[in-house]
Amino acid sequence: MAVYNVKVSTGDRAYAGTSDYLYITLIGAKGESQRTLLDNWGKDLTRGKTRSYSVQSSQPVGDLLLLKVEMDPLLLLPEDQWFCSKIVVTTPEGDVVLFPCHQWVSRGDVVELRGGPALKLFEETHPVLLEHRRKELELRKQVYQYTTLAEGLPKFNSFKEITDIPTSISGSTPKKEKVFSATERKLKRLNNSTKDWKDLEDLKSVFRFRSSPLYEHSMEHWKDDDFYGFQFLNGVNPNVIRCCSQLPAHFPVTEQMVKPFLQEGSSLHMEMEKGNMFLCDYKTLDGIPCRDYNGEKLTVAAGLCLLYKNPKDELRPIAIQLQQQPSEENPIFLPSDGETDWLLAKLFIKNSDSIQHQSVHHLLNTHLVVQGFALATLRNLPSIHPLYKLLIPHFRNTIHVNTLALSDIRSEDGFFNQSTIGMAGSLKLMARAHAETTYSSLFLPENIAARGLQSVPNFYYRDDGLKLWHIVQSFAKEMVDIYYPSDNDVSRDSELQDWIDDIYTNTFLENGRSGIPQEFLKVEELAKFVTMVIFTASAKHAAVHNGQFDYIGWIPNNPMMLCRPPPSTKGRSSMETLLETLPNQATTAKLLSPICNVCQEVEDLVPLGSYPERFGEPLSRLNLAAFQGDLAYLSEEITKRNSELLLPYEYLNPAQIENSVVS
């Protein structure tokens, strides 16, 4: 009789435990054990606990290859899913084998776990494991399939409902019920209102039960030019602004127009030569169709905004043109114009910025692109593959949240349909932006350099982002080097080549002009790509997601929808005009409800660097520990700096960055 010691660990997260019965079967090179119920005195599978059991076999099963996990109900109790963290088996010979799990297990599931070190396909030797590897990917390709969301966009997952998605890839809590806050209940009551806002004080009542220091600052200072400029660097969309060394021909700003707003004795030409002029150009919106509202077609401002960094290092807007082509009906607005003329011009630029932020930089460049990485990983890399182990924590819940968002995307009352361009316009905008994506734009250091933003002061998104990028890059390089010691290891890994080909084909739609690789031939190329994947799924998403309540909660600061067309003349506006331009109560509620929902404090936050125990190899574990140490040091550095700032930038603090796109 051979006796195996089995230690079963339940995850430390809400509702992770279960009352159901757990059975395991050990599968070895010489045979397998009986299906064995693991049952000690008292409750066995409780949150955050590890329990030990003995499993007997009539004879040794040989080298452990697989471990089969099954659950049966306790009496007639309802479904009670279990989150298994890991199972560690000690053989009669004293060998200790780690079987990572890190997934929800439901009744009826038959989960076969693989133990041992991470292996590439050409390193596999045992026929049972080769067959298991083949079947695992065969099944995954049947389950995780692609469908088309819209022409020109990354392929979407084919699940109709989140209940169709296997619990094995869910990192969320399936038993949790939604609890609505007082603010959300108020927004739901406003959904059917036909009223406009009486005044700005009336609008302030929306978030009476919820606030943050930056939300309060946005509400009080949204009209201020210095705060307006600050947000292009450190708000929710730091992705558009670029240094301006020469004005576009169709933006005819003259020296005379802007001279009053420059340093005394200086000129527009001189300030451009010094690198003090910056441009936000929303040409991508030009020609995008807008939605109907109250029987009339809305208008989006595909405008241009010129900003100046003054001697106080404040970034201020000094000229705005609301459409691409200059004309008498498309004047250049200046800070010296009437107060409401200038406010309206800034409002329409912010409307364009908000639309581009949500559609392109948030939904497309993080949610949809990262989902493409996740699907390619699930379809092409088995669970024992080193890249699967490295990357799968960065895809926790991404497919779930995107599937949930699909109903909103298709709903007439959905978030994107409330914007000025509606969902149809958003899809066209994203397709246009995706076609223009370049490989270099996906890498933060190259992106910042291409926009000429290396030396602009008070740019905390750049400062924190580049430090974080280099930490992730160092970690990714070390991990890749462990498992790919030579270029030959990269080129002969057929599963890896299938993975990148899948991404090239289904996420970047075979766009050869983009520079996206179709294959990997060198270790350096692979490490670079892995850095980008990890950064995009975590930090890049955090930068465009985490500040939404702070900067979008106050609608006049970042409106996704405006009711009136952009002003075509000066001197005819008033505060009444501005209020009539803002969305009414119902549209405001439909725009803010999702923001309120996704920006709630996350109960089961998994911060960047929190890797479940998937790697047993000592070098990998040391590298993970070094990565976590570097992130902790950066977190302390950012916290210290923020304590000295009036407007702290917290969105790239590693302690507050989710490991994946989860909302």
Side-chain angles (χ1 to χ4, degrees), residues 368-441:
L368 299 188
V369 167
V370 172
Q371 178 180 248
F373 298 154
L375 289 169
T377 301
L378 289 161
R379 288 167 53 84
N380 297 284
L381 302 179
S383 55
I384 199 67
H385 194 283
L387 276 193
Y388 182 92
K389 289 173 174 280
L390 178 62
L391 295 179
I392 200 66
H394 297 289
F395 306 140
R396 182 183 80 103
N397 270 9
T398 301
I399 294 173
H400 291 70
V401 73
N402 283 1
T403 304
L404 279 172
L406 192 59
S407 60
D408 180 88
I409 288 171
R410 290 173 172 165
S411 168
E412 288 188 9
D413 286 336
F415 177 74
F416 285 96
N417 256 327
Q418 302 307 309
S419 77
T420 301
I421 63 175
M423 193 64 235
S426 294
L427 293 173
K428 289 184 181 297
L429 174 63
M430 288 189 287
R432 182 181 289 183
H434 196 49
E436 296 172 357
T437 296
T438 62
Y439 191 39
S440 64
S441 70

Side-chain angles (χ1 to χ4, degrees), residues 218-232:
S218 297
M219 189 165 56
E220 297 303 323
H221 296 278
W222 68 280
K223 299 178 184 179
D224 299 351
D225 284 355
D226 57 341
F227 181 58
Y228 187 87
F230 172 86
Q231 292 178 70
F232 290 107

Side-chain angles (χ1 to χ4, degrees), residues 61-74:
V61 300
D63 292 337
L64 278 180
L65 304 177
L66 301 167
L67 187 151
K68 186 186 297 184
V69 176
E70 300 170 89
M71 286 177 60
D72 281 351
L74 173 65

Side-chain angles (χ1 to χ4, degrees), residues 347-364:
L347 194 69
F348 275 92
I349 288 293
K350 271 303 191 77
N351 174 232
S352 302
D353 190 73
S354 188
I355 290 169
Q356 195 158 308
H357 159 246
Q358 293 290 10
S359 299
V360 176
H361 300 292
H362 191 184
L363 179 57
L364 170 63

Side-chain angles (χ1 to χ4, degrees), residues 81-226:
Q81 292 169 316
W82 171 54
F83 191 88
C84 176
S85 177
K86 64 180 178 179
I87 298 176
V88 179
V89 180
T90 303
T91 68
E93 296 77 26
D95 296 328
V96 179
V97 184
L98 166 68
F99 291 88
C101 186
H102 309 291
Q103 68 181 59
W104 292 96
V105 182
S106 303
R107 294 172 187 172
D109 290 347
V110 178
V111 180
E112 287 190 347
L113 303 178
R114 221 117 160 226
L119 293 174
K120 302 179 285 294
L121 178 60
F122 61 80
E123 296 169 327
E124 203 78 84
T125 56
H126 199 284
V128 170
L129 296 180
L130 278 165
E131 180 63 8
H132 178 266
R133 194 176 189 122
R134 185 191 67 79
K135 284 186 174 179
E136 182 180 16
L137 291 184
E138 184 180 79
L139 176 61
R140 293 238 206 99
K141 284 179 180 176
Q142 293 172 6
V143 173
Y144 300 102
Q145 296 188 11
Y146 291 106
T147 189
T148 299
L149 176 63
E151 191 69 28
L153 293 186
K155 300 292 185 182
F156 206 78
N157 77 71
S158 63
F159 300 111
K160 299 291 189 290
E161 305 286 344
I162 60 168
T163 51
D164 298 333
I165 304 172
T167 55
S168 59
I169 64 160
S170 174
S172 63
T173 305
K175 308 171 196 178
K176 183 180 177 182
E177 294 183 358
K178 170 70 177 170
V179 178
F180 289 97
S181 67
T183 300
E184 288 175 293
R185 289 194 295 270
K186 172 160 187 175
L187 289 171
K188 288 176 76 70
R189 289 196 299 271
L190 291 175
N191 269 350
N192 297 317
S193 171
T194 58
K195 297 179 181 178
D196 293 324
W197 297 106
K198 292 181 295 185
D199 51 38
L200 293 177
E201 288 301 315
D202 190 24
L203 186 54
K204 288 181 180 179
S205 67
V206 173
F207 286 121
R208 184 176 297 159
F209 303 104
R210 183 177 177 184
S211 189
S212 76
L214 281 171
Y215 168 77
E216 295 288 339
H217 192 92
S218 297
M219 189 165 56
E220 297 303 323
H221 296 278
W222 68 280
K223 299 178 184 179
D224 299 351
D225 284 355
D226 57 341

